[in-house]
C-alpha cells in the first residue's frame, strides 16, 4: 500500500496495529486510527519534562479489532501541533492490518 489509506476488499473482521515515535521529550505525539471519518482508537506519547529534556524519542503503539464492510477506509491521523519522528533512514509511524475472517467465507 502506497497511499496510507486501507480500503477493505471484503466485509469482515480485521486486526490492526499502529505505532509512532516522537522526536524527543520536547514534543508530544498523538496518533489516531480512523475508520470512515470516525476515530476508533488512539495513542498519546507525552513525557514532557522541561527540567530534564530527554533527547531520546518516545514510542507508543496500539492494536485493535474492527469490523469493516467492503470499501470501508482505515487510516492514521496525527494531531495538530504533534511531531512524529522521521529521518532520511526511515519513517517511524505506521500501521498494518489483516483480515481475521470474512463475513461470508464462500463469497
Amino acid at each position: 500500500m502506497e497511499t496510507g489509506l486501507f480500503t477493505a476488499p471484503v466485509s469482515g473482521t480485521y486486526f490492526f496495529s499502529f505505532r509512532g515515535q516522537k522526536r524527543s521529550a520536547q514534543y508530544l505525539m498523538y496518533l489516531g486510527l480512523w475508520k470512515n471519518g470516525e476515530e476508533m482508537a488512539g495513542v498519546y506519547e507525552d513525557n514532557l519534562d522541561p527540567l530534564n529534556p530527554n533527547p531520546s524519542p518516545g514510542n507508543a503503539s496500539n492494536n485493535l479489532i474492527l469490523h469493516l464492510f467492503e470499501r470501508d477506509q482505515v487510516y492514521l491521523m496525527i494531531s495538530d501541533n504533534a511531531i512524529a519522528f522521521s529521518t532520511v533512514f526511515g519513517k517511524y509511524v505506521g500501521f498494518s492490518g489483516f483480515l481475521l475472517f470474512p463475513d461470508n467465507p464462500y463469497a
Side-chain angles (χ1 to χ4, degrees):
M1 172 171 52
E2 302 271 332
T3 66
L5 179 70
F6 173 78
T7 302
V10 297
S11 296
T13 303
Y14 290 79
F15 173 86
F16 289 96
S17 177
F18 62 104
R19 65 234 163 253
Q21 184 178 81
K22 71 181 183 110
R23 186 158 180 83
S24 73
Q26 299 171 344
Y27 305 101
L28 61 84
M29 179 191 65
Y30 181 82
L31 292 172
L33 186 128
W34 293 65
K35 177 182 101 173
N36 299 330
E38 181 181 357
E39 188 172 15
M40 299 285 105
V43 293
Y44 182 73
E45 197 348 290
D46 180 340
N47 194 26
L48 298 175
D49 185 355
L51 300 177
N52 185 18
N54 180 356
S56 300
N59 299 289
S61 63
N62 205 349
N63 302 304
L64 70 154
I65 295 174
L66 290 175
H67 181 270
L68 301 179
F69 292 105
E70 186 176 353
R71 293 189 289 279
D72 277 350
Q73 295 186 322
V74 176
Y75 50 93
L76 287 183
M77 288 184 66
I78 191 167
S79 66
D80 292 340
N81 302 320
I83 298 177
F85 190 47
S86 66
T87 68
V88 294
F89 301 108
K91 309 293 185 232
Y92 300 99
V93 173
F95 77 106
S96 61
F98 55 88
L99 177 66
L100 291 171
F101 52 90
D103 285 350
N104 182 355
Y106 305 107

